[in-house]
């Protein structure tokens, strides 16, 4: 922003006293523009300059406070308090951790989910595609026992529907 202001001032200085109409019409608009650009640059610097030090949480920024946070949540039509959002996030994170450990155990790595992740990252893409094709075929052509079970569920549903009529 400051470089834009500097370039604009250079253009203003070039045309001032060179072009009589420019010299006549532009001093007042230039003053307003210069003040506006300077204030805007100052506002950007204050808002985006990181004057808050890391408190050890790894989150760097200016805290806005509970009241401002609640106003922003209301503006975004989020009907939860900050505490409820944090509790839900912790619940979701716990579920993710449980699933990571479950997948890691299924792959034979115990609770070392990072090692399991590294192993999966090294699997060539064609092997993953084969696994997806097998899964897709299983979904499209389920086994006879699966068809039998779903068929009986469908028949039971039809019977119940017929009883209601």
């Amino acid at each position: 922003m400051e470089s834009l202001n500097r370039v604009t001032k250079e253009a203003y200085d070039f045309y001032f006293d060179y072009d009589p109409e420019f010299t006549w019409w532009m001093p007042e608009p230039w003053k307003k523009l210069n003040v506006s650009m300077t204030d805007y640059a100052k506002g950007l610097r204050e808002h985006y300059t990181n004057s808050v030090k890391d408190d050890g949480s790894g989150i760097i920024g200016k805290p806005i406070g509970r009241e401002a946070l609640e106003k922003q949540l209301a503006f975004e039509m989020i009907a939860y308090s900050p505490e409820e959002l944090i509790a839900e996030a912790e619940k979701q994170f716990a579920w993710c951790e449980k699933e990571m450990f479950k997948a890691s155990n299924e792959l034979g790595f115990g609770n070392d989910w990072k090692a399991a992740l590294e192993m999966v990252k090294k699997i060539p893409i064609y092997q993953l595609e084969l696994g997806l094709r097998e899964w897709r075929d299983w979904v499209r052509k389920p086994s006879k026992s699966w068809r039998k079970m779903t068929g009986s569920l469908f028949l039971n549903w039809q019977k119940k529907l017929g009883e209601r009529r």
Side-chain angles (χ1 to χ4, degrees):
M1 193 69 215
E2 290 163 347
S3 63
L4 178 63
N5 194 8
R6 197 171 32 256
V7 170
T8 308
K9 182 169 178 13
E10 285 178 20
Y12 174 80
D13 290 342
F14 176 79
Y15 283 103
F16 192 78
D17 283 338
Y18 176 75
D19 183 354
E21 286 188 36
F22 185 88
T23 304
W24 173 258
W25 288 106
M26 292 309 292
E28 195 60 36
W30 166 249
K31 286 179 189 171
K32 290 180 183 177
L33 177 65
N34 190 30
V35 167
S36 296
M37 290 175 77
T38 305
D39 289 347
Y40 187 64
K42 181 182 173 191
L44 287 175
R45 201 176 316 102
E46 287 174 1
H47 184 71
Y48 289 108
T49 301
N50 188 9
S51 62
V52 179
K53 302 296 181 214
D54 186 3
D55 62 355
S57 67
I59 301 171
I60 299 175
K62 295 182 181 179
I64 61 172
R66 181 180 182 82
E67 190 175 308
L69 179 59
E70 287 175 343
K71 282 182 182 178
Q72 285 187 354
L73 290 172
F75 178 76
E76 296 294 336
M77 295 185 212
I78 298 172
Y80 294 98
S81 70
E83 291 79 16
E84 290 171 323
L85 290 172
I86 290 170
E88 183 62 27
E90 287 173 347
K91 178 179 153 189
Q92 296 293 327
F93 185 74
W95 180 85
C96 289
E97 276 188 326
K98 185 180 91 179
E99 292 299 310
M100 282 190 311
F101 291 134
K102 182 174 146 185
S104 176
N105 283 310
E106 287 176 4
L107 291 171
F109 287 92
N111 286 340
D112 190 4
W113 63 267
K114 289 182 182 179
L117 180 63
E118 288 303 316
M119 188 273 303
V120 170
K121 287 191 319 192
K122 293 176 183 172
I123 295 175
I125 192 71
Y126 67 88
Q127 285 183 344
L128 291 175
E129 288 174 355
L130 287 173
L132 287 174
R133 281 192 204 122
E134 289 172 11
W135 180 81
R136 183 192 63 210
D137 292 343
W138 181 83
V139 169
R140 286 186 182 166
K141 302 172 195 169
S143 66
K144 289 180 183 177
S145 61
W146 175 256
R147 277 192 224 124
K148 188 175 179 182
M149 184 180 77
T150 55
S152 64
L153 287 173
F154 181 71
L155 289 174
N156 289 338
W157 178 74
Q158 280 185 328
K159 286 178 187 174
K160 286 182 182 179
L161 187 63
E163 292 170 3
R164 290 185 184 166
R165 289 185 185 173

